[in-house]
């Protein structure tokens, strides 16, 4: 979004597994280039993202808080004091841990505004045996020191010269992380329209998880929708809910996967820009459905992970 015809790479994975890359061209371009990389052996984060743009600088960071976002996800709050550190909503960090050879790759789930206000970023990391995620869940503590480097071309960074767009954010599982950052950034832009003259029109979040306990950030999402119901809306989808849905979530929660009919209600082919992040099968299905309801391929930006 920062310059016309900017080619943005959506190439990420969450802690372990092989990756698949797609180059998505933004609104003013008509052509979309697709490139896939596969391997029979497991590759690490640096290999998977070797061709993806990242900043050159490494920055020291201190863990200043650790919270349980869910039974399997910890949210890390990192203080990054260097004044040159910055990121765009939706980007990720290379995550270097002293004494751990494997470099992690985690999407930033906080907004650029939080960094400007408080000098911190946040990461929400699901438990796995992958060394960086395992360290975060078993050894990381307040005052632990790490090093981070920002990367990724999957981001929302509107400029005053860009046309106003309506955002459709579609997340599956922990794919919510970069989209939550974009949602928070959109909210910040709307709160400060006297400074930022590039806020989006309407933002709708479709978020699918196994059950309501695995819906990360749900309370803040609902608060944002209550704060500006004219500008924000959300639907939570649960696919394996075995208990009753909590009363406060019932107005927002749908049993079942995100359907083509629902997508159609939130797509305006002329104004909608969609960001999509989740498991590859979900990406393929939703991407196909979006095009069926009239959204052109160059308006669908996605990250795949597994």
């Amino acid at each position: 979004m920062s310059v016309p015809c900017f080619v943005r790479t959506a190439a990420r994975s969450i802690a372990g597994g092989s990756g698949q890359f797609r180059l998505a061209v933004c609104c003013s371009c008509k052509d979309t280039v697709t490139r896939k990389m596969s391997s029979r052996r497991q590759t690490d984060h640096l290999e998977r993202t070797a061709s993806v743009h990242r900043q050159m600088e490494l920055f020291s960071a201190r863990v200043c808080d650790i919270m349980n976002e869910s039974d399997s996800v910890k949210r890390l709050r990192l203080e990054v004091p260097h004044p040159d550190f910055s990121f765009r909503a939706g980007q990720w960090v290379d995550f270097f841990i002293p004494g751990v050879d494997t470099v992690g790759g985690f999407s930033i789930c906080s907004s650029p505004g939080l960094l400007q206000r408080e000098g911190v970023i946040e990461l929400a990391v699901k438990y796995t045996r992958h060394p960086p995620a395992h360290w975060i869940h078993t050894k990381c503590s307040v005052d632990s020191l790490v090093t981070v480097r920002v990367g990724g071309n999957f981001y929302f960074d509107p400029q005053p010269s860009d046309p106003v767009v309506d955002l459709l954010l579609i997340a599956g599982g922990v794919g919510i992380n970069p989209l939550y950052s974009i949602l928070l950034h959109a909210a910040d832009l709307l709160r400060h329209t006297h400074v930022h003259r590039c806020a989006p029109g309407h933002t709708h979040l479709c978020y699918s998880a196994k059950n309501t306990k695995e819906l990360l950030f749900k309370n803040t999402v609902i608060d944002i929708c209550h704060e500006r119901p004219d500008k924000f809306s959300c639907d939570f989808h649960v696919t394996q809910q075995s208990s009753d849905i909590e009363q406060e979530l019932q107005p927002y929660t749908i049993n079942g996967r995100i359907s083509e009919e629902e997508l159609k209600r939130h797509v305006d082919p002329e104004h909608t820009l969609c960001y999509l992040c989740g498991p590859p099968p979900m990406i393929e299905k939703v991407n196909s459905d979006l095009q069926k309801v009239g959204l052109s391929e160059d308006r669908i930006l996605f990250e795949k992970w597994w």
Side-chain angles (χ1 to χ4, degrees):
M1 294 277 299
S2 55
V3 294
C5 221
F6 183 78
V7 179
R8 185 170 309 150
T9 312
R12 278 286 297 115
S13 72
I14 304 297
S18 56
Q20 195 170 49
F21 299 82
R22 178 183 188 266
L23 292 174
V25 183
C26 293
C27 302
S28 55
C29 301
K30 294 183 179 179
D31 297 325
T32 301
V33 182
T34 303
R35 182 166 67 87
K36 297 182 180 180
M37 183 181 79
S38 61
S39 175
R40 291 186 179 181
R41 68 178 182 84
Q42 187 179 48
T43 57
D44 68 17
H45 164 69
L46 292 183
E47 288 180 283
R48 287 192 302 272
T49 61
S51 63
V52 181
H53 174 75
R54 51 178 29 91
Q55 296 176 5
M56 297 297 295
E57 297 84 0
L58 295 168
F59 294 93
S60 297
R62 180 182 71 89
V63 177
C64 55
D65 200 3
I66 305 173
M67 299 156 279
N68 291 321
E69 191 64 36
S70 74
D71 291 344
S72 61
V73 175
K74 286 190 180 292
R75 183 165 13 165
L76 247 61
R77 193 173 174 91
L78 298 174
E79 180 184 52
V80 191
H82 200 288
D84 292 340
F85 180 81
S86 65
F87 73 97
R88 296 179 170 103
Q91 289 187 300
W92 41 260
V93 291
D94 296 331
F95 194 83
F96 300 87
I97 304 164
V100 177
D101 292 336
T102 306
V103 177
F106 304 113
S107 293
I108 301 170
C109 63
S110 53
S111 70
L114 182 65
L115 177 64
Q116 294 168 5
R117 294 187 297 269
E118 302 182 26
V120 300
I121 63 171
E122 294 183 343
L123 313 175
V125 180
K126 188 177 180 69
Y127 176 81
T128 71
R129 298 293 298 179
H130 191 253
H134 190 257
W135 178 86
I136 286 170
H137 278 262
T138 61
K139 295 183 179 180
C140 181
S141 62
V142 172
D143 291 330
S144 289
L145 300 178
V146 297
T147 302
V148 295
R149 177 174 58 198
V150 172
N153 295 321
F154 178 87
Y155 58 77
F156 178 62
D157 185 34
Q159 302 301 306
S161 60
D162 291 335
V164 175
V165 297
D166 293 330
L167 292 178
L168 176 58
L169 310 176
I170 305 176
V174 291
I176 186 62
N177 282 332
L179 304 187
Y180 184 61
S181 176
I182 291 172
L183 180 78
L184 293 175
H185 187 47
D188 280 346
L189 292 175
L190 284 163
R191 291 187 189 110
H192 304 288
T193 52
H194 61 288
V195 177
H196 306 285
R197 303 183 183 278
C198 45
H202 188 273
T203 298
H204 181 76
L205 172 68
C206 290
Y207 178 16
S208 177
K210 290 181 179 179
N211 53 61
T212 54
K213 288 185 177 180
E214 294 193 16
L215 290 168
L216 308 183
F217 321 119
K218 51 185 174 287
N219 293 330
T220 303
V221 171
I222 291 172
D223 287 345
I224 290 172
C225 293
H226 283 170
E227 179 185 345
R228 290 296 303 270
D230 58 325
K231 292 293 186 179
F232 292 93
S233 57
C234 67
D235 289 314
F236 299 136
H237 288 255
V238 291
T239 58
Q240 298 178 31
Q241 183 80 14
S242 58
S243 59
D244 292 338
I245 295 170
E246 299 92 316
Q247 186 173 356
E248 63 272 18
L249 296 179
Q250 288 179 6
Y252 308 95
T253 305
I254 300 169
N255 271 299
R257 302 183 186 279
I258 299 168
S259 68
E260 181 180 333
E261 291 74 19
E262 180 184 352
L263 295 174
K264 186 174 183 179
R265 293 196 298 270
H266 299 289
V267 166
D268 179 339
E270 298 298 322
H271 298 103
T272 299
L273 181 63
C274 178
Y275 288 81
L276 176 57
C277 186
M282 173 193 168
I283 297 284
E284 298 292 349
K285 177 65 165 61
V286 173
N287 182 36
S288 175
D289 287 347
L290 286 167
Q291 293 185 55
K292 287 179 183 177
V293 300
L295 194 61
S296 59
E297 189 176 5
D298 64 317
R299 285 182 169 269
I300 307 169
L301 300 138
F302 59 72
E303 284 195 309
K304 287 185 179 181
W305 54 266
W306 66 88

